[in-house]
Amino acid sequence: MAYQLYRNTTLGNSLQESLDELIQTQQITPQLALQVLLQFDKAINMALANRVRNRVNFRGSLNTYRFCDNVWTFVLNDVEFREVTDLVKVDKVKIVACDGKK
Amino acid sequence: MASSANSNPVPKLYKSVIEDVINEVRELFLDEGVDEQVLLELKTLWENKLLQSKAVEGFHTEEQAALQAAQQQQQQHQVQQVQQVQQVQQQVQQVHQVQQVNQPAQAQQVILPPQQQQAPQQQVIVQDSKILQHMSATGMSAAATAATLALPTGVTPYQQLITSQGQILQVVRAANGAQYIIQPQQQILVQQQMQPGSVQAPVIQQVLAPMQGGLSQQGVIIQPQQIVLASGNKVQGNPQAAALAQQPGQAATAQVQQVQQVQQVQGSAAPQVPAQTQAQQPPMILQADGAGDTSSEDDQDDEEEEYGEDEEEEKDKDGGEDGQVEEEPLNSSDDVSDEEDQELFDTENVVVCQYDKIHRSKNKWKFHLKDGIMNLNGRDYVFSKAIGDAEW
């Protein structure tokens, strides 16, 4: 089963919200919504693995780190994310990473 | 052609994912007997929300711009419709249940222009469309808006529910996917899933289930202190503590503390009843040690020890006088983190990804990440590989 990791992203949340609205108006069942989400998990995992081809570098200071259930969670401060094209600076960022396996 | 070399891959990626998902679930929808119309509505809702979030740049720009203009007009109508919707909600729910018993094809009639001759159904249809409009747009009432603004970051409002009592509740979704319902009058966040005729017992099970199932997948952080609390307390106040323990980081620390304290009052109030008859002590909360020790028997101490620890801290603050709820403001100075101010701003910058390798030497950390989606300063980015350095 693909990671459900990406459900808490703009894309994933907007899908969940839309599904919830349809459930509210009883146009779909919760079971169907769950199936849609599972399909979303597969699709986003595949898309990220196959259709994205760019690299990012970042540097900052590590505030906290946590490793639990094979999931790393970091909080970094004063971070710069650098891509070839541009630079993004943030005061605080949370990184949640599941095991890349393979 | 240097100008076109920097095209943003995000919109294309999102569009392709949407297309993939919609096409894949088309079959599922048909199997369930759900109309294609609903599938298209799902797609539209999904794309609209993405547009509204402004996290992605330019997406079917023309179509969506027209839709956005239409939605803004709808929002103006909403305020007028809200009252009508409140009155109608009950009737609609009842009729919906009846409709579900009938063939699913009848669900179409809700959306199509009414051509039936049955008076009650016509009423329902007209009112349904209003509810649909109400539900699909994202406008909020003044009270809900105020309640929403008071929320910390990572909690985005996404839906208004209208209970059978006519209250407008704000349903929000926290960063970890847990749902909360805010009642504007209360200050405490209560986690429930609102369904018609919902009962406490299934709610608790539902609350606990996602906690177990979603742990490894979603990177949920459970802070150890809260677990001890949750397991130590009686079941009554448990789901709330357990559910709130899911919240990542210090995002909800203050609120969690508030709820914890209230729950401790509640949780300890229950075992207090028999204790009071024995000890005949006025204070509501048992204190195991320290000034103003209220416990008089060892049995009580053993029972209370597990969740007595946090109570002690609070009691010490008070000087161990009374176990009133006024401990809340007193303990707010205990909060070491100053994260709250930052949290109140727009986005919590989040990166969701997979790790290839995480390396540490002394306090130098190196991160090798892959397949990630980032939301930084409100905008979305993606990467196939990310390499980072940080000092702890």
Side-chain angles (χ1 to χ4, degrees):
Chain A
M1 203 170 86
Y3 282 132
Q4 300 183 0
L5 179 67
Y6 301 102
R7 291 193 189 180
N8 188 24
T9 56
T10 316
L11 195 60
N13 279 325
S14 46
L15 176 61
Q16 292 191 77
E17 290 170 18
S18 308
L19 287 170
D20 284 335
E21 284 181 20
L22 291 181
I23 294 177
Q24 272 302 310
T25 57
Q26 305 204 348
Q27 289 173 272
I28 62 175
T29 63
Q31 180 62 20
L32 183 58
L34 181 62
Q35 295 297 320
V36 176
L37 282 172
L38 291 173
Q39 192 60 45
F40 168 77
D41 294 331
K42 281 190 215 158
I44 189 71
N45 272 283
M46 268 191 26
L48 282 173
N50 299 334
R51 294 202 205 116
V52 185
R53 285 273 169 263
N54 61 327
R55 267 179 66 143
V56 166
N57 289 311
F58 61 95
R59 180 178 298 276
S61 49
L62 186 61
N63 186 317
T64 63
Y65 55 87
R66 178 179 281 116
F67 185 61
C68 180
D69 284 331
N70 277 327
V71 177
W72 276 104
T73 308
F74 305 103
V75 176
L76 279 72
N77 290 119
D78 301 323
V79 198
E80 286 187 7
F81 288 86
R82 218 173 274 267
E83 206 165 347
V84 178
T85 46
D86 45 18
L87 169 69
V88 180
K89 290 196 199 183
V90 295
D91 289 336
K92 177 185 173 209
V93 65
K94 168 183 281 190
I95 300 181
V96 180
C98 286
D99 195 349
K101 289 185 205 166
K102 258 186 182 175
Chain B
M1 303 291 273
S3 59
S4 62
N6 299 340
S7 62
N8 190 2
V10 177
K12 276 193 213 145
L13 178 76
Y14 284 10
K15 275 190 223 171
S16 74
V17 170
I18 293 179
E19 292 298 326
D20 279 349
V21 173
I22 296 293
N23 289 331
E24 292 288 326
V25 303
R26 181 165 282 122
E27 231 182 279
L28 290 172
F29 269 57
L30 292 179
D31 284 346
E32 289 254 336
V34 181
D35 189 46
E36 172 88 9
Q37 189 72 20
V38 180
L39 183 66
L40 289 179
E41 191 174 339
L42 172 66
K43 182 174 182 196
T44 312
L45 283 170
W46 194 0
E47 289 176 341
N48 285 348
K49 288 189 196 291
L50 277 174
L51 264 187
Q52 282 168 8
S53 74
K54 294 185 195 157
V56 192
E57 312 162 33
F59 217 53
H60 306 289
T61 32
E62 292 175 13
E63 304 170 12
Q64 302 297 342
L67 278 172
Q68 264 191 336
Q71 277 189 355
Q72 284 170 3
Q73 289 176 5
Q74 281 182 8
Q75 285 176 8
Q76 292 170 4
H77 291 305
Q78 257 194 5
V79 180
Q80 305 161 3
Q81 287 172 1
V82 163
Q83 290 178 352
Q84 296 171 355
V85 171
Q86 282 179 0
Q87 296 166 3
V88 158
Q89 189 72 9
Q90 267 181 342
Q91 301 171 8
V92 168
Q93 285 180 356
Q94 291 169 4
V95 177
H96 270 304
Q97 289 168 1
V98 171
Q99 279 182 351
Q100 271 192 343
V101 174
N102 300 337
Q103 292 169 4
Q106 285 194 1
Q108 296 180 27
Q109 298 170 352
V110 173
I111 304 171
L112 295 174
Q115 289 178 357
Q116 290 139 349
Q117 297 163 1
Q118 299 174 9
Q121 276 201 351
Q122 265 196 350
Q123 265 187 357
V124 169
I125 289 172
V126 169
Q127 290 148 353
D128 271 355
S129 62
K130 285 182 189 168
I131 291 170
L132 282 176
Q133 285 178 0
H134 168 71
M135 288 301 183
S136 61
T138 55
M140 295 185 283
S141 69
T145 312
T148 308
L149 287 175
L151 288 174
T153 334
V155 182
T156 43
Y158 77 101
Q159 197 174 12
Q160 265 187 342
L161 282 185
I162 298 176
T163 66
S164 52
Q165 290 121 13
Q167 280 183 341
I168 298 181
L169 301 184
Q170 191 78 9
V171 179
V172 303
R173 187 185 295 279
N176 64 349
Q179 286 185 359
Y180 296 85
I181 295 179
I182 298 175
Q183 299 178 348
Q185 298 99 12
Q186 296 179 8
Q187 297 172 356
I188 302 172
L189 293 181
V190 176
Q191 176 164 3
Q192 278 184 356
Q193 295 192 0
M194 285 294 292
Q195 294 166 357
S198 64
V199 184
Q200 274 298 328
V203 167
I204 292 175
Q205 290 170 4
Q206 285 173 357
V207 165
L208 290 179
M211 187 172 132
Q212 297 159 3
L215 262 180
S216 53
Q217 297 289 344
Q218 297 182 359
V220 168
I221 302 164
I222 300 182
Q223 300 182 357
Q225 318 97 354
Q226 294 170 351
I227 290 183
V228 169
L229 244 192
S231 58
N233 273 340
K234 306 289 182 188
V235 179
Q236 302 165 2
N238 196 9
Q240 295 177 357
L244 284 170
Q246 284 186 13
Q247 289 189 2
Q250 304 98 353
T253 305
Q255 291 169 349
V256 169
Q257 283 180 353
Q258 283 182 9
V259 182
Q260 284 177 2
Q261 290 158 6
V262 173
Q263 288 174 352
Q264 284 161 4
V265 173
Q266 297 172 356
S268 52
Q272 272 302 314
V273 174
Q276 272 187 351
T277 56
Q278 298 173 9
Q280 291 179 353
Q281 302 271 354
M284 290 295 290
I285 291 186
L286 258 191
Q287 184 195 356
D289 286 311
D293 191 350
T294 60
S295 64
S296 57
E297 296 186 18
D298 285 348
D299 291 337
Q300 295 170 12
D301 281 344
D302 288 340
E303 282 177 4
E304 303 299 332
E305 252 175 29
E306 283 181 346
Y307 42 84
E309 295 170 2
D310 286 335
E311 293 170 22
E312 280 180 15
E313 294 169 7
E314 295 163 19
K315 298 303 280 180
D316 291 341
K317 271 288 173 182
D318 263 343
E321 302 272 61
D322 357 275
Q324 302 168 14
V325 189
E326 80 176 329
E327 292 170 357
E328 286 175 16
L330 289 177
N331 281 343
S332 56
S333 57
D334 283 344
D335 197 349
V336 175
S337 71
D338 52 6
E339 306 283 0
E340 280 189 54
D341 295 332
Q342 301 171 13
E343 297 296 348
L344 287 176
F345 282 94
D346 277 354
T347 35
E348 159 139 353
N349 304 303
V350 180
V351 176
V352 182
C353 58
Q354 301 176 30
Y355 60 87
D356 278 327
K357 198 139 183 69
I358 304 292
H359 173 80
R360 176 194 66 83
S361 267
K362 299 248 175 98
N363 72 333
K364 307 278 186 280
W365 288 72
K366 292 199 197 305
F367 314 94
H368 293 254
L369 310 169
K370 69 175 187 183
D371 297 343
I373 299 181
M374 311 194 282
N375 185 280
L376 306 172
N377 297 329
R379 303 232 332 238
D380 271 8
Y381 305 86
V382 292
F383 63 81
S384 62
K385 259 181 152 11
I387 300 191
D389 284 279
E391 259 186 50
W392 178 74

